[in-house]
Amino acid sequence: MMTEISAILNMLEGGFSQFRVLVVGDLMLDRYILGEVERISPEAPVPVIRHAERYERPGGAANVAMNLAGLGCKTFLAGLWGDDSDQAELAKLMESAEIDTTGVLKGSLPTISKTRIIGRTQQLLRLDIESRDKPAPIDLERLRERAVALTSRMHAVVLSDYAKGALTGEICHAVIAAARAAGIPVLVDPKTSDFSKYAGATTVCPNLNELSMATGVPAYETTQLIAAGEKLLDPHQIDFLTVTMSEKGIRILSPGASYHSPARVRQVFDVSGAGDTVIATLAACLASGLQRETAVDLANVAAGIVVGKLGTVPIAHHELIAALTPSSGTASGEKILDFDRVQLRAAEWRAAGETIVFTNGCFDLLHVGHITLLEHCRSFGSKLILGLNTDASVSRLKGPSRPVVGERERARVMAALAAVDAVVLFDEPTPLELIQALKPGVLVKGGDYTVASVVGHEDVLANGGRVEIVPTVEGFSTTNIIKKLTVSA
């Protein structure tokens, strides 16, 4: 899974910001009213909810844009909204996420909104405000022109079709043709059974029910449904289908081949917006040139994160970094970071709510005392960053005959340990600069120290962290090992 993990982490840690992605589609405002249900109304057999909280989030194509922005992409949005208070609220949310809305036009219809009333975690009622009328032809023509003009400046385009009228066949065909002419991928989230509307797209991303509508094969007959889906590709000149299969994962269907990415098992809390997260992640990956199989794997991880949240919540790149960098599942080479990258990694982990632990040392010849220290470090938090003295630094501390093992080899050995999440070399006499830059929540030192004598303790305590002292394991040290080897020789 995800053989391009290094490229993915590079992208998530700033690289996606190089890419521009346009989302064209139906814009909505999702409103949530939360409270407690304490009784049944005496006026009618309905629950009475005592209001506790209300908030708004972008929905539909606007949520796709929010996911792209959360991944770090430069995001552009094109669509229609009204001239009303919901439009003002949605525009404010887009602005706060730094999403470019020059492609969004004020049409003659009201802004689409969906209000969900939730008691504790149970949705009790949904109120949709939208017109049954179609957008005015002049509004659609202006939208087509604006979307096509923007497409030539992008690295990828997403057509987010919620069947609310913004994505007509003419607009879809025009945007797809412009994207193809520009040599960029165009991805479609479909809401119609006629895939000819999306002819020429790089990929169309239906769920099982949407694929069932397009093929006429029942959604529960998975094998026959997949076979029927493959037959849609050639007539509509679609490069591949990306089929989301709920708890079964995501499957790529392409001529003569397929790829299946199993679902990443998590507790499902709310599936709202999961499809938006999938297509946004796919678009970001394809825009950056990652392989489509890698893109699907990453989209699967992202979807697994957002379904564990209440409501329409976009993915954030720090959440993906935290999910992709468990110490037990990351190759040792991916854990060895330079100063700038370890700063970024630490910032992403903090944003994801991880407790960062920092310790440092020479770790010349690994022994049980080192292992004990690292086990204690792991018990103090969820992410462990190890500051490792360079060869020059070790020589200054231990003498010209040290280290026995070079810094590259020592870094690889330490990074291979399951307890360690990141290794960074430092050449300074102390790791103070690293500690100040990384802002760990827990600073750990092994040996006969007091908190006041540990380098960096002031900074950690000032940031609300703590210092832990792990006693040395008697009888175990690199110096003793070297002495034994010398005597044996």
Side-chain angles (χ1 to χ4, degrees):
M1 175 220 172
M2 283 189 280
T3 56
E4 299 175 280
I5 184 68
S6 180
I8 292 171
L9 290 173
N10 280 330
M11 291 296 176
L12 289 170
E13 291 173 341
F16 276 139
S17 62
Q18 302 173 32
F19 302 102
R20 297 181 297 276
V21 182
L22 170 65
V23 182
V24 188
D26 299 296
L27 313 184
M28 306 175 198
L29 179 68
D30 285 345
R31 180 175 291 110
Y32 295 85
I33 298 175
L34 284 71
E36 295 286 336
V37 176
E38 299 174 345
R39 60 193 177 94
I40 299 298
S41 171
E43 303 166 359
V46 295
V48 175
I49 184 167
R50 183 182 296 277
H51 175 266
E53 183 182 4
R54 165 180 163 163
Y55 55 87
E56 287 79 23
R57 288 175 178 158
N63 185 48
V64 178
M66 289 292 289
N67 277 275
L68 284 161
L71 291 169
C73 294
K74 293 178 180 176
T75 308
F76 297 74
L77 186 61
L80 299 171
W81 52 22
D83 187 4
D84 46 42
S85 60
D86 285 344
Q87 177 274 331
E89 184 63 41
L90 187 52
K92 184 168 64 176
L93 292 169
M94 295 294 96
E95 182 179 2
S96 66
E98 299 184 350
I99 294 170
D100 189 309
T101 58
T102 55
V104 183
L105 305 170
K106 286 188 178 180
S108 58
L109 302 180
T111 305
I112 299 171
S113 69
K114 298 180 179 180
T115 300
R116 297 170 174 88
I117 299 176
I118 299 171
R120 290 182 181 265
T121 60
Q122 180 66 47
Q123 186 174 149
L124 305 177
L125 179 70
R126 195 180 93 178
L127 173 65
D128 291 3
I129 298 177
E130 62 180 282
S131 174
R132 292 183 180 273
D133 296 331
K134 295 181 179 179
I138 189 172
D139 293 336
L140 292 171
E141 178 59 22
R142 290 166 59 219
L143 175 59
R144 183 189 66 80
E145 293 174 355
R146 191 72 58 89
V148 168
L150 285 169
T151 296
S152 62
R153 300 163 45 197
M154 300 298 133
H155 294 95
V157 176
V158 176
L159 297 179
S160 180
D161 191 353
Y162 274 78
K164 302 299 182 181
L167 285 181
T168 62
E170 291 77 9
I171 289 177
C172 289
H173 295 155
V175 173
I176 291 171
R180 287 297 198 181
I184 62 173
V186 54
L187 303 87
V188 180
D189 189 356
K191 284 295 182 293
T192 177
S193 60
D194 183 7
F195 278 22
S196 65
K197 181 179 179 181
Y198 315 121
T202 305
T203 186
V204 178
C205 308
N207 58 34
L208 289 176
N209 288 329
E210 290 161 349
L211 187 59
S212 175
M213 288 190 295
T215 61
V217 177
Y220 60 83
E221 294 182 357
T222 307
T223 302
Q224 296 90 326
L225 182 60
I226 294 301
E230 292 175 350
K231 295 178 181 178
L232 294 173
L233 297 171
D234 188 55
H236 302 307
Q237 298 180 307
I238 297 169
D239 291 357
F240 61 97
L241 293 183
T242 307
V243 185
T244 54
M245 307 172 67
S246 188
E247 74 280 358
K248 297 178 183 178
I250 305 175
R251 183 183 290 269
I252 295 176
L253 304 182
S254 59
S258 67
Y259 174 78
H260 183 76
S261 178
R264 308 297 175 240
V265 179
R266 282 176 176 257
Q267 182 178 5
V268 177
F269 195 71
D270 191 339
V271 298
S272 300
D276 296 337
T277 299
V278 167
I279 200 166
T281 308
L282 291 172
C285 290
L286 295 183
S288 65
L290 292 174
Q291 296 295 317
R292 62 190 185 188
E293 292 81 8
T294 301
V296 165
D297 282 334
L298 190 61
N300 231 337
V301 174
I305 293 170
V306 299
V307 297
K309 303 176 182 181
L310 175 63
T312 305
V313 184
I315 192 66
H317 61 290
H318 61 74
E319 295 174 310
L320 277 174
I321 289 172
L324 292 174
T325 53
S327 57
S328 60
T330 306
S332 60
E334 304 297 342
K335 298 181 186 178
I336 303 171
L337 308 174
D338 60 22
F339 184 86
D340 290 338
R341 283 201 68 193
V342 79
Q343 268 191 287
L344 284 170
R345 189 70 58 83
E348 304 295 356
W349 282 337
R350 279 198 304 275
E354 305 286 354
T355 300
I356 297 174
V357 181
F358 178 85
T359 194
N360 66 280
C362 301
F363 295 93
D364 194 0
L365 294 175
L366 192 64
H367 54 71
V368 69
H370 293 145
I371 298 301
T372 300
L373 171 65
L374 297 175
E375 287 176 343
H376 276 91
C377 287
R378 169 56 66 187
S379 71
F380 297 140
S382 55
K383 296 292 182 183
L384 171 59
I385 299 177
L386 175 65
L388 190 66
N389 294 79
T390 62
D391 289 349
S393 177
V394 175
S395 292
R396 290 193 295 269
L397 291 169
K398 305 288 186 178
S401 63
R402 300 281 297 275
V404 176
V405 180
E407 60 189 45
R408 290 186 179 181
E409 291 78 13
R410 285 185 289 122
R412 285 298 299 270
V413 169
M414 301 310 295
L417 299 176
V420 176
D421 297 283
V423 176
V424 57
L425 290 159
F426 69 97
D427 197 49
E428 295 75 20
T430 73
L432 180 60
E433 184 180 0
L434 265 178
I435 293 167
Q436 291 173 337
L438 298 177
K439 299 179 177 62
V442 185
L443 175 60
V444 182
K445 193 65 179 174
D448 298 325
Y449 286 84
T450 63
V451 170
S453 65
V454 176
V455 170
H457 76 275
E458 300 99 332
D459 299 277
V460 173
L461 296 175
N463 290 330
R466 69 182 196 274
V467 179
E468 298 282 354
I469 308 298
V470 176
T472 301
V473 178
E474 295 297 329
F476 293 95
S477 71
T478 300
T479 300
N480 286 341
I481 294 173
I482 293 173
K483 285 180 180 179
K484 288 182 180 179
L485 291 173
T486 302
V487 171
S488 299

